[in-house]
Each structure stands twice: as structure tokens, then as C-alpha cells.
Amino acid sequence: MKNFQIIKALSSSSAVTGKAKDNSTMFIAGGTNLVDLMKKNVVAPDKLVDINGLDLKKIEFLKGKVSIGALAKNSQVAEDSAIKEKHPLLALALAAGASQQIRHMATVGGNMLQKTRCSYYYNTDMPCNKRTPKSGCGAIGGANRMSAIFGASDSCIAVHPSDMCVALAALDATVLVEGPKGKREINFTDFHRLPGNTPEKDNTLDSRELITAVEIPDNNFTKNVHYLKVRDRTSYAFALVSVAVALDIKNNTINDARLAMGGVAHKPWRLTETEKFLKGKTISEDLFKQAGHLSMKGAKGYGDNNFKQTLGENAVAEALAIAASK
């Protein structure tokens, strides 16, 4: 790790100003991912802007929505009684992520910005277009068991690692950001990017912008929800495939549905076609099997990860069945 300078921001505007002065400057909050990347020399900022002193930790239930500050800890959100009651899918997804110790340090904003855990990205001796543009993608033709089956490109087949973000994508969240040009809002499903020809760009943030909050609109998904995470071990492991399901069921009929997957794409993968297919139908095991099959439409494996297509199909069906049974 190279030497770096650290400054403490006293306000959102001063944090933005501090970062805008130098392209090699980065924000730091919990540091659960960034510090690891710095230790491995994957990133090497000259300056860090410490934003932990900003007033961005609140969870506020406002008219028609809940606002979650970007510096709220993952554990704080997951254990909040009102979040569990009104947005249980988010609480379930957060509880499935990392370890309890990391959830006590990791922030909501940092969770959104965490980098892929693709081994080629972390190994600076290997080619990786995300880390070093135009150097190649070692995972294509290499060890790609954890890699994407949706939305990948010839430049990158890495996946986004977050559990929380899968739930936020399913719940139609909005990201609030602040930058030199002022404040703006981004639909959560538009926040993260597919790799295309610029896999080094993980999201649609301007490099000088700061995430200040995430908002979730009120909904009827308070009972029939489930977050299914399939992984190699039950603690501190990233998803091979995950599924976030939220159903609004009345008289055995699905009035509304939200589904998203993790571990399968460069961003949380919203299953909008499956949602439309489920609406208005009577719940049944056969219906959920059909939904699982439909959800894999367009999936493509790269060798070691071919199993994800079958795993994903079964995981969607299982997650739907569990959610519907509650």
C-alpha cells in the first residue's frame, strides 16, 4: 500500500469539493472493501476523504417512502424494527451478506459501490479490463465459476457482489446523490451498469458525486417475501446465485410481483418479464417452475459457470414457493 493523505469532511458539500479537486481522491466510510483493494494495490488513491462525520446515518419514514442515509450501517438497517415490518425483503438480504462484524462496519452507500470479487480483478499479475482497461479479461477462457450469465460482454464477465442491492433493485429504490452540479436522483435499476466496452465503470455516478441516501417507496410487500442465497458455505461467502422475491397475494392470486437476481450479472438483475408473467395468476408449483424457466431466458455460460443456468432456474422457483407459503 502506498502512502496517502486523509482529510475529514465536515459537510456533504465540503466532501464533494475535496474530491472534485483531485481525480485520485476517493471517499472512505466503513472501508470494508476499499482498504482491502488498497492493500492489494488494486486501487491506490493519493488522498481519502473521510465522510464518517456527515449527518447521513438516519433511517426516516416519510410520507410514501423510507429514506435511508448512505452512512447507515448494514446491521443498523437490517435490525431496524420498522424496516423489518415495512420492507422485510431488504432486512433479509442484508442479513445474508458478509459476516456480522463486517455488517457492523459496512455502510449502505459503500455496499452499493463495492467492487466485484472476481479473482482476476484482485490479482494485479493477471489481465482485467475492469482494473486496467484494454488489458483483456482473464475470466473469459479462464476460471469463471463465479462469473456472469446475463448482460456480459467480450470485455468483462464479472458479477456485482452485493446482496443488499438485489433487494433494492426489486423494491424500486431511488438513489440520491450530490455533486458539484447539485443534487439528483437515480432509479436504482439504472445506477449500476453492464460492462459493455467500459467495464471499469461500475455505475452511473460522476466521479465527483457522493451518495447521500437511498429511498424506497411504500408497497404491499410486507409478508410474502424471501431472499434465497445459494453459496458454497453458509457464512461470509458471495452468492453463486441469489433471488429476491416480493409478492402481493390475495385469495391465492398474485396481484403484484417483484423479482431480482444476484451473482448472475455485472449489476443486480431485475426479472421484469417474469414479474409480468406472474401477475394475475393463481399460485402453484407448476407456475413457479415456469417462472424459473422463463427467468433464464437469454442466459449464457462461459464454461465453469454453465451450471448457473440450471441453478438459477431452480432457485427462482424455490424462492417463489417459499415466499408464497408465508
Side-chain angles (χ1 to χ4, degrees), residues 43-321:
V43 297
D46 293 323
K47 183 187 298 182
L48 295 177
V49 178
D50 181 356
I51 59 173
N52 283 295
L54 305 187
D55 185 23
L56 300 175
K57 301 179 177 70
K58 297 176 183 176
I59 301 174
E60 299 179 287
F61 287 86
L62 309 172
K63 184 177 180 180
K65 62 187 177 183
V66 59
S67 176
I68 303 172
L71 291 178
K73 303 295 188 183
N74 285 186
S75 57
Q76 173 192 353
V77 181
E79 295 163 10
D80 185 274
S81 58
I83 290 290
K84 287 182 176 181
E85 178 185 353
K86 295 178 180 295
H87 300 290
L89 180 61
L90 177 58
L92 290 171
L94 281 164
S99 65
Q100 183 70 10
Q101 294 92 332
I102 289 177
R103 292 197 297 271
H104 278 318
M105 286 298 297
T107 62
V108 167
N111 190 311
M112 292 168 56
L113 296 175
Q114 65 181 298
K115 297 293 188 178
T116 182
R117 271 24 181 226
C118 177
S119 59
Y120 293 94
Y121 178 74
Y122 273 77
N123 187 344
T124 55
D125 293 327
M126 300 299 291
C128 173
N129 288 319
K130 282 184 70 62
R131 188 186 66 250
T132 308
K134 311 288 185 192
S135 64
C137 176
I140 297 178
N144 51 43
R145 182 170 176 269
M146 301 293 291
S147 299
I149 57 173
F150 290 115
S153 71
D154 291 340
S155 297
C156 180
I157 60 173
V159 299
H160 193 270
S162 173
D163 294 295
M164 179 196 77
C165 290
V166 182
L168 289 174
L171 293 171
D172 294 316
T174 300
V175 185
L176 277 58
V177 303
E178 183 175 339
K181 296 181 180 179
K183 300 178 181 180
R184 68 184 180 113
E185 300 181 0
I186 308 169
N187 291 335
F188 200 88
T189 50
D190 296 328
F191 181 80
H192 296 98
R193 297 165 50 107
L194 292 177
N197 295 322
T198 54
E200 70 276 12
K201 297 179 180 180
D202 288 320
N203 53 64
T204 54
L205 277 180
D206 181 283
S207 62
R208 300 164 296 174
E209 287 182 315
L210 171 71
I211 300 171
T212 57
V214 175
E215 294 181 346
I216 307 172
D218 290 349
N219 56 58
N220 294 322
F221 306 121
T222 57
K223 179 183 177 184
N224 298 111
V225 303
H226 189 63
Y227 187 75
L228 177 64
K229 182 176 182 178
V230 183
R231 46 187 163 177
D232 288 326
R233 59 184 186 275
T234 56
S235 178
Y236 195 47
F238 296 97
L240 292 167
V241 166
S242 65
V243 185
V245 173
L247 302 175
D248 178 15
I249 300 174
K250 291 182 181 177
N251 299 321
N252 229 34
T253 298
I254 299 173
N255 287 343
D256 203 1
R258 297 287 185 276
L259 287 91
M261 296 187 72
V264 295
H266 199 257
K267 61 184 290 185
W269 192 253
R270 182 76 176 264
L271 299 172
T272 52
E273 193 170 343
T274 306
E275 293 172 357
K276 293 176 183 176
F277 169 76
L278 289 167
K279 289 180 184 179
K281 292 188 171 64
T282 302
I283 61 174
S284 69
E285 182 180 351
D286 184 61
L287 176 69
F288 296 152
K289 286 182 178 179
Q290 292 179 54
H293 182 71
L294 177 62
S295 297
M296 291 300 104
K297 182 179 177 181
K300 176 188 175 183
Y302 289 86
D304 294 345
N305 71 340
N306 289 348
F307 72 95
K308 282 192 178 187
Q309 296 178 62
T310 301
L311 180 62
E313 181 174 337
N314 293 335
V316 169
E318 181 180 348
L320 283 166

